[in-house]
């Protein structure tokens, strides 16, 4: 009992000392460096918190560079202390790899071989540096360690996987450069490619992007550089690819595809289609043309993937690159689904931009279905899958659930436009009976018609503008009225309703411009037109045109796409 009390009295000062050290690090108001060294020599590598972090861990996390350097120089820090791991299995070098200061990492790396020590997830310090995109720290750890970047995490990811998933493409290229420098001197082609990738951006371009031009352009330039590096990295990896069969299934559908040997790898081509990366698809097909014949365990080919994920650019590339496209477009997967069934899968998720409206979204979905339908043999439209549904059945099922929302949205939008069109038509109709100069009370002839001078011609132009305004506004009003009375069948969303909406907006804009011209002619007849008024009219009309472009451009681009892809199916005959 006496020994326990003595031990408790001895432990009390130690706990207070640990608390004092921890609070000073947390508040970034460190106690004296000598005190830290004395504490370390008394309790080396002892945990200071419930996560098992030692003094080394906490100094690295808090970026206390001077204290860490002092501890490394004057403290009794051994190899065993450096390899001390917290509850997550991480050493101080793991924490240093997550932070920017190079000195922290260098102090930990040069004292011992820690680069190959994994944490509980199997991640080394080199892995964390690559995942965080710390290129300088990555180089430093690679210099002191012997990790060859092929060490796998528990889920199978290597260091290069971590860098690529974090979009830090400079790290894989840097590692490739080191490999090239150590490799064959005669491999000039690969050396030349590596040197191109190693070049930094011109300092003058950096100055323009950061100082002279809008800083947003720098972000755009960085994305372009990332894209360039990603494609270049893909080319290097494709040059090393020797066996594409490990990415595709080829056994009959009655066998268990999950037991097919060497088919556990995700197909890069299908993954690129899912992610919507046409550049990567193009490079894969250029290096390995036969990859286009890949199928997954459900019997889906690349056209099925492109149809399901609405990859329009990739779909067009596949039609040009694939030799047997007619056969692949007619393929049926193991569940009886054709490419048309996949084209009806509505890709609405939590990340979908619903600000453009459900009607616009469904319009593009119907367009995509019709686009795929025009490329397919006619008999696919009537084929049923294993659930007994045709592609049209699936599309109707979803559309009927959303039809009420579509009708409500379109009619509410039309009502506002109809009010404007009716107002312009009313004003133009009234303008006919309130012309400048008035009428002759005896025969009702406009007074300016009796004067065979410039007023006669100006009045004719005034009437032309009024009649054109009335005709355009009535046309817009009538088109909108036919939309209000539409049946809203799903096929109407493909061309009829968008075309009516485009005509209504176009004629409404023309009527608005014509009524401005009418006002301009009236001012000329009355002699009130000045340069200031003319400029004001021009500014108002220009602003109105900008507001008009926003809704019209979207519909116009849709109509252009419909016309581009409206060709019926034509089989390739040999």
């Amino acid at each position: 009992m006496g020994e326990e009390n003595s031990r408790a009295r001895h432990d009390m000062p130690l706990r207070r000392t640990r608390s004092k050290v921890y609070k000073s690090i947390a508040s970034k108001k460190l106690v004296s460096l000598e005190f830290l060294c004395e504490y370390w020599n008394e309790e080396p590598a002892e945990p200071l918190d419930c996560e098992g972090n030692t003094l080394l861990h906490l100094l690295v996390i808090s970026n206390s560079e001077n204290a860490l350097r002092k501890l490394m120089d004057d403290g009794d820090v051994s190899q065993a202390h450096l390899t001390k791991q917290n509850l997550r299995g991480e050493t101080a070098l793991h924490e240093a790899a997550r932070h920017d200061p190079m000195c922290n990492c260098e102090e930990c790396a040069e004292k011992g071989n820690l680069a190959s020590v994994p944490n509980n997830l199997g991640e080394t310090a080199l892995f964390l540096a690559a995942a965080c995109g710390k290129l300088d720290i990555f180089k430093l750890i690679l210099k002191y360690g012997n990790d060859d970047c092929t060490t796998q995490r528990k889920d199978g990811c290597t260091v290069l996987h971590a860098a690529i998933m974090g979009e830090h493409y400079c790290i894989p290229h840097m590692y490739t450069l080191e490999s090239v420098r150590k490799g064959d001197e005669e491999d000039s082609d690969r050396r030349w490619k590596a040197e191109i990738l190693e070049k930094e951006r011109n300092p003058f371009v950096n100055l323009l992007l950061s100082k002279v031009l809008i800083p947003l352009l720098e972000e755009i330039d960085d994305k372009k550089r990332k894209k360039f590096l990603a494609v270049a990295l893909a080319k290097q990896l494709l040059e090393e690819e020797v066996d594409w069969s490990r990415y595709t299934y080829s056994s009959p559908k009655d066998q268990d595809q999950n037991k097919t040997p060497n088919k556990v790898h995700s197909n890069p081509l299908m993954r690129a289609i899912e992610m919507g990366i046409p550049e990567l698809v193009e490079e894969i097909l250029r290096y390995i043309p036969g990859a286009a014949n890949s199928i997954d365990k459900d019997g889906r080919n690349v056209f099925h993937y492109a149809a399901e994920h609405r990859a329009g650019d990739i779909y067009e590339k596949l039609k040009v690159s694939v030799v047997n496209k007619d056969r692949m477009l007619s393929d049926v997967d193991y569940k009886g689904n054709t490419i048309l069934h996949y084209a009806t899968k509505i890709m609405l998720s939590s990340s979908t931009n619903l600000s453009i409206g459900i009607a616009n979204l469904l319009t593009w979905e119907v367009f995509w279905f019709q686009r795929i339908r025009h490329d397919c043999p006619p008999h696919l439209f009537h084929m049923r899958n294993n659930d007994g549904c045709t592609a049209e059945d699936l599309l109707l099922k979803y559309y009927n659930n959303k039809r009420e929302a579509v009708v409500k949205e379109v009619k509410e939008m039309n009502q506002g436009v109809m009010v404007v069109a009716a107002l312009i038509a009313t004003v133009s109709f009234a303008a006919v009976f309130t012309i400048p100069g008035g009428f002759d009370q005896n025969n009702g002839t406009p007074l300016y018609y009796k004067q065979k001078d410039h007023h006669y011609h100006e009045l004719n132009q005034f009437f032309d503008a009024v009649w054109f305004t009335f005709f355009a506004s009535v046309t817009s009003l009538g088109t909108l009225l036919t939309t209000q009375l539409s049946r809203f069948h799903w096929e109407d969303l493909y061309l009829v309703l968008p075309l009516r909406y485009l005509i209504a907006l176009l004629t409404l804009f023309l009527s608005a411009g014509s009524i401005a011209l009418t006002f301009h002619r009236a001012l000329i007849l009355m002699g009130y037109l000045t340069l200031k008024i003319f400029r004001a009219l021009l500014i108002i009309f220009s602003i109105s045109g900008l507001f008009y472009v926003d809704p019209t451009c979207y519909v116009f681009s849709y109509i252009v796409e419909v016309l581009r892809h409206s060709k019926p199916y034509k089989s390739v005959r040999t």
Side-chain angles (χ1 to χ4, degrees):
M1 187 68 178
E3 292 180 358
E4 293 179 357
N5 292 335
S6 176
R7 189 181 302 111
R9 287 193 299 269
H10 177 71
D11 291 342
M12 184 63 69
L14 290 178
R15 285 196 294 269
R16 291 176 179 174
T17 303
R18 293 173 188 170
S19 177
K20 182 179 179 180
V21 171
Y22 187 86
K23 288 180 179 178
S24 67
I25 296 175
S27 62
K28 297 187 181 299
K29 296 179 181 179
L30 292 177
V31 294
S32 65
L33 301 181
E34 291 75 11
F35 177 80
L36 290 179
C37 292
E38 290 178 3
Y39 167 75
W40 175 265
N41 293 331
E42 184 176 355
E43 284 193 317
E46 286 297 319
L48 282 173
D49 59 14
C50 58
E51 293 184 352
N53 291 314
T54 66
L55 180 59
L56 283 176
H57 289 89
L58 296 178
L59 289 177
V60 171
I61 293 173
S62 62
N63 293 331
S64 303
E65 302 175 14
N66 295 331
L68 182 63
R69 187 178 297 108
K70 177 71 174 177
L71 186 63
M72 289 291 187
D73 294 339
D74 299 342
D76 185 14
V77 181
S78 64
Q79 176 72 20
H81 296 155
L82 288 172
T83 56
K84 180 73 174 182
Q85 297 171 294
N86 58 20
L87 297 182
R88 297 189 302 274
E90 296 181 347
T91 65
L93 186 59
H94 284 88
E95 298 294 348
R98 288 193 177 97
H99 297 78
D100 288 331
M102 284 287 295
C103 60
N104 290 348
C105 187
E106 190 167 7
E107 292 288 345
C108 296
E110 67 180 357
K111 289 289 185 178
N113 184 18
L114 304 180
S116 58
V117 178
N119 61 13
N120 295 343
L121 298 177
E123 300 169 339
T124 62
L126 194 67
F127 189 101
L128 294 179
C132 297
K134 305 300 173 54
L135 180 59
D136 294 334
I137 295 178
F138 182 87
K139 292 179 181 179
L140 182 66
I141 298 177
L142 200 62
K143 172 184 175 182
Y144 285 103
N146 56 1
D147 196 331
D148 59 354
C149 295
T150 59
T151 304
Q152 293 185 348
R153 194 170 58 179
K154 288 186 177 180
D155 60 357
C157 290
T158 65
V159 173
L160 299 182
H161 285 98
I164 294 173
M165 287 188 292
E167 297 185 357
H168 308 301
Y169 302 109
C170 55
I171 290 179
H173 284 304
M174 190 279 299
Y175 182 74
T176 303
L177 289 174
E178 297 295 331
S179 302
V180 169
R181 291 193 184 99
K182 298 176 183 178
D184 188 1
E185 294 292 335
E186 297 179 358
D187 194 356
S188 59
D189 183 57
R190 289 192 62 188
R191 177 176 295 279
W192 176 80
K193 292 179 182 178
E195 290 174 354
I196 291 295
L197 294 173
E198 192 177 28
K199 290 182 179 179
E200 295 292 336
R201 190 167 56 195
N202 190 294
F204 180 69
V205 176
N206 282 328
L207 177 64
L208 288 177
L209 292 174
S210 59
K211 302 295 183 182
V212 181
L213 300 179
I214 302 175
L216 180 62
L217 295 179
E218 187 174 7
E219 181 180 353
I220 297 175
D221 182 72
D222 288 339
K223 289 183 178 180
K224 290 183 65 177
R225 285 170 58 81
K226 279 186 178 181
K227 178 180 176 181
F228 168 76
L229 290 173
V231 174
L233 178 61
K235 291 179 181 179
Q236 293 183 8
L237 296 175
L238 287 169
E239 288 177 354
E240 304 295 332
E241 189 63 54
V242 294
D243 183 18
W244 193 265
S245 62
R246 59 189 175 135
Y247 298 124
T248 184
Y249 291 82
S250 58
S251 57
K253 66 178 182 179
D254 55 346
Q255 295 184 11
D256 187 359
Q257 298 284 3
N258 294 323
K259 297 181 180 180
T260 306
N262 300 325
K263 302 297 187 299
V264 296
H265 304 282
S266 176
N267 191 303
L269 179 59
M270 293 181 175
R271 183 63 175 165
I273 296 174
E274 288 179 353
M275 301 297 293
I277 311 176
E279 296 84 4
L280 184 55
V281 172
E282 184 176 1
E283 292 300 328
I284 292 176
L285 294 179
R286 186 165 68 89
Y287 280 90
I288 311 174
N293 295 314
S294 303
I295 60 173
D296 67 0
K297 63 180 181 180
D298 295 323
R300 297 184 295 175
N301 60 33
V302 292
F303 281 100
H304 292 152
Y305 271 82
E308 181 179 2
H309 295 279
R310 309 309 191 253
D313 294 340
I314 296 176
Y315 179 74
E316 293 300 322
K317 289 182 183 296
L318 291 175
K319 289 200 301 182
V320 175
S321 305
V322 178
V323 177
N324 54 342
K325 66 174 183 179
D326 271 18
R327 194 268 302 164
M328 296 183 70
L329 287 170
S330 303
D331 278 352
V332 181
D333 70 3
Y334 300 150
K335 297 180 181 179
N337 294 311
T338 66
I339 188 174
L340 288 177
H341 287 87
Y342 286 104
T344 60
K345 291 188 176 182
I346 309 298
M347 304 298 291
L348 294 181
S349 62
S350 58
S351 61
T352 303
N353 181 17
L354 296 176
S355 61
I356 62 175
I358 187 66
N360 283 330
L361 286 174
L362 286 182
T363 298
W364 282 101
E365 292 295 336
V366 171
F367 159 73
W368 180 251
F369 175 77
Q370 295 285 44
R371 177 177 172 180
I372 301 297
R373 180 182 177 183
H374 289 154
D375 291 334
C376 296
H379 71 276
L380 291 185
F381 187 69
H382 306 286
M383 289 189 64
R384 299 181 180 274
N385 59 15
N386 294 351
D387 296 329
C389 297
T390 64
E392 186 180 17
D393 293 338
L394 297 178
L395 185 63
L396 278 174
K397 181 179 179 181
Y398 184 83
Y399 177 72
N400 290 334
N401 293 333
K402 300 294 182 180
R403 184 178 181 276
E404 184 177 350
V406 171
V407 173
K408 180 180 178 181
E409 181 179 294
V410 172
K411 288 189 174 182
E412 287 180 353
M413 179 175 57
N414 275 3
Q415 287 173 0
V417 182
M418 288 177 68
V419 170
V420 177
L423 180 62
I424 294 177
T426 303
V427 171
S428 61
F429 184 81
V432 177
F433 303 99
T434 56
I435 62 174
F439 296 91
D440 190 338
Q441 298 299 324
N442 297 322
N443 54 18
T445 304
L447 294 177
Y448 282 139
Y449 270 170
K450 295 182 179 181
Q451 304 175 12
K452 300 299 182 179
D453 55 6
H454 69 281
H455 290 93
Y456 179 84
H457 300 288
E458 293 291 345
L459 188 60
N460 281 334
Q461 293 178 3
F462 173 82
F463 276 122
D464 292 341
V466 169
W467 287 117
F468 184 82
T469 302
F470 183 76
F471 173 77
S473 58
V474 170
T475 302
S476 177
L477 189 61
T479 306
L480 293 171
L481 184 60
T482 58
T483 302
Q484 291 290 101
L485 301 176
S486 175
R487 299 173 301 165
F488 288 94
H489 189 268
W490 72 267
E491 289 185 338
D492 294 339
L493 292 178
Y494 176 58
L495 182 60
V496 176
L497 291 178
L499 187 59
R500 288 177 182 173
Y501 186 63
L502 180 62
I503 293 174
L505 289 180
L506 181 61
T507 52
L508 182 64
F509 179 74
L510 292 176
S511 64
S514 181
I515 201 171
L517 181 61
T518 303
F519 183 64
H520 174 262
R521 291 301 173 185
L523 291 176
I524 292 178
L525 284 170
M526 298 173 65
Y528 292 156
L529 183 64
T530 62
L531 182 60
K532 185 180 294 186
I533 295 177
F534 177 76
R535 289 176 178 174
L537 287 175
L538 187 61
I539 292 174
I540 293 174
F541 185 74
S542 300
I543 295 175
S544 302
L546 292 177
F547 281 107
Y548 169 80
V549 167
D550 182 46
T552 307
C553 183
Y554 188 83
V555 182
F556 183 77
S557 63
Y558 173 81
I559 297 296
V560 171
E561 287 296 312
V562 169
L563 296 178
R564 280 183 57 203
H565 303 286
S566 59
K567 295 181 181 179
Y569 170 80
K570 292 183 180 180
S571 179
V572 178
R573 301 182 184 276
T574 57

